Amino acid sequence: MKAIMKMGLSTALVLALGACATSSPDVIQRGDAQRMSQVQDGVLLSIRTVTVDGSQSGIGAAVGGVTGAVAGASRGAGGGESQVIGLLVGVAGAVAGNTIERMSTREEANELLIQLKGGERRAIVQAKGSETLVPGDSVIIVTTGGKVRVTKAPK
């Protein structure tokens, strides 16, 4: 029973840490601080809501599979029956763990279509932030270390 509780706690911890990950334009990664960024001016042409699919790192499946296998094996009468039950419940746990990880890391985002000053257009998907953008807004595209974020241009 203690093993099942430890595995359940481990699963909860993995899911909680996964939920802490963010791609919000309001959050800057530590490695991007004090780095020079490229800035481009543009005008927001359109904005639409999209869903960014959740990650499938394998951690959810692994934790779910181990938890299910331990729980299933402890339910059997012993011997081969316990191993078969453990295997079946382990597979079900892996599927459930993968689904939980994928759903908990899914997020709504905005797809922004931007017209640059030179006439080129860019489409950028970013998580929703605290800033409200509407078509016609003057915006800046900030590129740091290959990552891009869009914000309103200063007036």
Side-chain angles (χ1 to χ4, degrees):
M1 188 65 162
K2 286 185 181 182
I4 294 171
M5 296 213 22
K6 285 182 183 178
M7 290 309 237
L9 186 59
S10 296
T11 304
L13 181 61
V14 167
L15 294 175
L17 291 174
C20 292
T22 181
S23 59
S24 170
D26 298 330
V27 177
I28 306 300
Q29 300 297 319
R30 182 168 298 282
D32 293 338
Q34 297 183 327
R35 291 182 71 186
M36 186 170 302
S37 300
Q38 178 186 10
V39 178
Q40 295 175 291
D41 294 312
V43 174
L44 182 62
L45 297 176
S46 68
I47 185 170
R48 73 181 186 106
T49 300
V50 295
T51 301
V52 177
D53 198 13
S55 65
Q56 295 179 340
S57 67
I59 293 172
V63 171
V66 170
T67 303
V70 170
S74 67
R75 295 286 183 217
E81 182 181 316
S82 291
Q83 291 176 352
V84 171
I85 292 172
L87 177 65
L88 293 175
V89 176
V91 170
V95 170
N98 184 57
T99 302
I100 290 169
E101 177 186 11
R102 186 171 171 219
M103 296 307 283
S104 67
T105 56
R106 176 180 274 188
E107 65 181 314
E108 280 196 8
N110 290 323
E111 180 182 60
L112 310 168
L113 181 59
I114 300 166
Q115 177 99 31
L116 300 176
K117 295 287 183 183
E120 292 182 55
R121 292 181 179 182
R122 297 283 189 267
I124 298 168
V125 174
Q126 74 178 20
K128 292 184 177 186
S130 61
E131 191 171 53
T132 302
L133 298 170
V134 295
D137 280 347
S138 293
V139 295
I140 56 173
I141 301 172
V142 181
T143 305
T144 307
K147 295 181 224 157
V148 178
R149 61 189 167 90
V150 177
T151 187
K152 283 186 180 180
K155 294 185 182 195

